[in-house]
Amino acid sequence: MALAVMANAGRLFAVDWGDKRIGLAISDELGMLASPVGILTRRVGKRPPLAELMRQAEALGATGYVFGLPLDPAGAETDRTREVREIAAKLAARQPLPIRLVDERFTTSSALRSIREQGGSTRGRKGDVDAMAACVLLESVLRAASQGVALGEAVVAASE
């Protein structure tokens, strides 16, 4: 399903995958607004929290996922990029909702700037920054979808 269609068909769930935290955001049903909804904490040496990610998406009524694809500043793939591709493919194999990977370069710096512009401090608020980064990613997807443009690439399920 094209992302432009996904945005008009319900709520998109954005995921900003990090080493320690996974930032989360959700869109409204009209595909116009994005809101941060928190984080999931990753534990070193433990399996990725895919089941919890699916529970959160279901509880929020998500109709699709948007994963931030962490490319380097030049747009090249990294070890983290490959990790996110693998995680998204495993998630696709475990549930039926469509998943897209979208370039997430500069979402964290945009999130930091947004928090500061609102008069807030980012000190000690790493979780808020991660959730806001997911929100920034989702806002770019919603903006593009409102103009009929599907950002990113669809994920094909991987066999586990």
Side-chain angles (χ1 to χ4, degrees):
M1 175 185 316
L3 191 55
V5 174
M6 281 175 51
N8 294 326
R11 303 178 76 165
L12 295 179
F13 189 56
V15 179
D16 180 46
W17 196 267
D19 277 336
K20 296 178 182 176
R21 289 169 308 281
I22 302 165
L24 306 172
I26 191 80
S27 73
D28 66 330
E29 291 181 6
L30 299 176
M32 297 173 65
L33 302 171
S35 301
V37 291
I39 61 165
L40 294 178
T41 302
R42 291 188 60 195
R43 291 182 174 77
V44 178
K46 300 289 183 181
R47 297 175 102 186
L50 293 181
E52 181 58 26
L53 200 61
M54 290 187 304
R55 276 191 289 279
Q56 294 242 0
E58 184 177 352
L60 292 167
T63 59
Y65 291 86
V66 175
F67 268 74
L69 191 61
L71 302 169
D72 76 8
E77 300 226 351
T78 65
D79 288 342
R80 169 65 57 71
T81 309
R82 288 181 281 284
E83 176 188 7
V84 168
R85 287 185 182 283
E86 182 180 307
I87 295 298
K90 286 180 179 178
L91 182 62
R94 293 179 63 176
Q95 55 81 52
L97 299 179
I99 302 170
R100 291 194 72 84
L101 299 172
V102 177
D103 182 353
E104 71 168 23
R105 284 179 289 174
F106 314 115
T107 56
T108 299
S109 60
S110 292
L112 288 166
R113 186 172 49 257
S114 177
I115 289 170
R116 287 186 193 118
E117 285 172 356
Q118 296 171 19
S121 169
T122 57
R123 187 180 195 126
R125 296 179 61 190
K126 292 180 180 177
D128 292 342
V129 172
D130 292 331
M132 184 62 81
C135 193
V136 169
L137 172 71
L138 187 52
E139 287 170 346
S140 69
V141 168
L142 297 174
R143 249 189 328 275
S146 74
Q147 298 171 3
V149 176
L151 293 182
E153 61 192 75
V155 174
V156 177
S159 54
E160 287 195 53

